[in-house]
Amino acid sequence: MTSAEFVISAVFPRDFPTDGRPEIALVGRSNVGKSSLINALVRRVVARTSASPGKTRQVNVYRMTPAGGSPFYLMDLPGYGHTSGGKQAQREFGALTALYFGSRTSPGDTRNHSRTRNHSRSDFVSPLCAVVLAVDARHPGLAGDVDACRWLHALGAPFLLVATKADKLSQAEKTKLTQACLQAFGEEPLPVSAVTGSGLDDLWQHLHALTAGS
Ligand code: GDP
C-alpha cells in the first residue's frame, strides 16, 4: 500500500524540497482533475479538490512512498488556463511554474539543492524524473494544453500524457481519443478515471518506472 503525505503548499522557490529525492511534476488546466487523481492514486484524501477552479496558486508537494517502489515527491503545479482570477493570477500561475522548472533544469542557486552542493554546473543532477501533463479526455487538443505540452517537451524531461475523467467518454469518444492526442500532442494518452479507478494501475507502473533508479 502506498503511503502519501502532504508536505507543503510552496509559494516561493525556497519552499521546494531540498533533499534531492526524485520528483514527478503534475501539470494541467485548473479543474482538469489533478487533485482527484492524486487522491485516487493513494486511495485516500490527501489533496483538496476544488468546486471553484483556479484558486490554487501554490505548488502542492506530496511525499509518496509506494509499496515496492522508490519514494518520490509528487509536485502538483498550479493549474493554468482559468481567467476568473484575471491576468495577474495567470501571470502568477506561470511565474511559479517557470521558477520550479527553472530550478530543476539548471543548477541556478545551488544552495537550494543538496544534490548539487559543491558540484560544478556540468555535475548538476536534477531531482525531476518526469513531467505528467493531465488533459481532459473529453477535450483533447485545447490550445492551452497544446501550448503547455510544447513548453514542457522543450524541457527535455521524460513526459507522460494522462487523459482524465475517462469515465465520461462514450465508446465512440474512447476510440477517437488516442488518434486525437497523437495529432494534437504527438503523444499517446493514458486514459484514467478518479471515479472508476480505471487506468490507475497503469499510471502507477509508469510512475514506478520513471522514478526507479533515481
Ligand atoms: P483540479 O483543479 O485539477 O485539482 O481538479 P479537481 O480534482 O478538483 O476536479 C475538478 C472537478 O472534476 C471536480 O468536480 C471533480 O469531482 C471532477 N472530477 C475529477 N476527476 C474526475 C473523474 O475522473 N471523473 C469524473 N467524472 N469527474 C472527475
Side-chain angles (χ1 to χ4, degrees):
M1 195 69 197
T2 301
S3 76
E5 49 181 326
F6 170 77
V7 179
I8 192 171
S9 277
V11 179
F12 303 106
R14 64 167 181 265
D15 302 327
F16 297 149
T18 56
D19 60 5
R21 188 184 289 221
E23 295 172 10
I24 300 258
L26 180 59
V27 185
R29 280 171 67 85
S30 302
N31 222 28
V32 73
K34 288 188 298 151
S35 312
S36 305
L37 181 60
I38 293 168
N39 291 334
L41 271 173
V42 301
R43 297 189 188 177
R44 67 185 185 86
V45 177
V46 285
R48 263 180 305 161
T49 55
S50 48
S52 56
K55 290 285 190 287
T56 357
R57 296 179 197 183
Q58 308 93 345
V59 177
N60 291 314
V61 183
Y62 301 91
R63 194 182 291 117
M64 313 285 271
T65 312
S70 314
F72 65 93
Y73 287 114
L74 187 62
M75 309 292 291
D76 180 17
L77 292 164
Y80 56 80
H82 262 277
T83 49
S84 54
K87 282 249 162 12
Q88 179 62 27
Q90 289 284 318
R91 272 197 294 274
E92 284 170 27
F93 302 147
L96 194 56
T97 298
L99 284 170
Y100 171 70
F101 284 118
S103 71
R104 267 46 186 163
T105 50
S106 73
D109 181 354
T110 53
R111 284 171 305 174
N112 282 333
H113 304 288
S114 56
R115 279 177 151 198
T116 64
R117 203 172 287 151
N118 301 328
H119 284 242
S120 70
R121 193 162 272 266
S122 60
D123 290 332
F124 175 69
V125 179
S126 173
L128 182 66
C129 293
V131 179
V132 177
L133 175 62
V135 299
D136 191 319
R138 295 165 301 172
H139 309 291
L142 294 177
D145 291 337
V146 173
D147 283 351
C149 184
R150 201 172 293 133
W151 194 86
L152 295 167
H153 271 156
L155 295 170
F159 180 91
L160 179 65
L161 184 69
V162 164
T164 61
K165 310 188 189 182
D167 57 282
K168 291 198 172 182
L169 293 188
S170 67
Q171 196 51 50
E173 286 169 326
K174 269 182 198 154
T175 313
K176 287 187 198 146
L177 179 65
T178 302
Q179 201 48 43
C181 287
L182 280 170
Q183 213 160 17
F185 303 107
E187 295 278 343
E188 217 170 292
L190 174 62
V192 296
S193 167
V195 170
T196 65
S198 71
L200 297 183
D201 287 347
D202 270 1
L203 179 53
W204 264 124
Q205 280 186 13
H206 281 280
L207 297 180
H208 282 317
L210 289 164
T211 52
S214 292

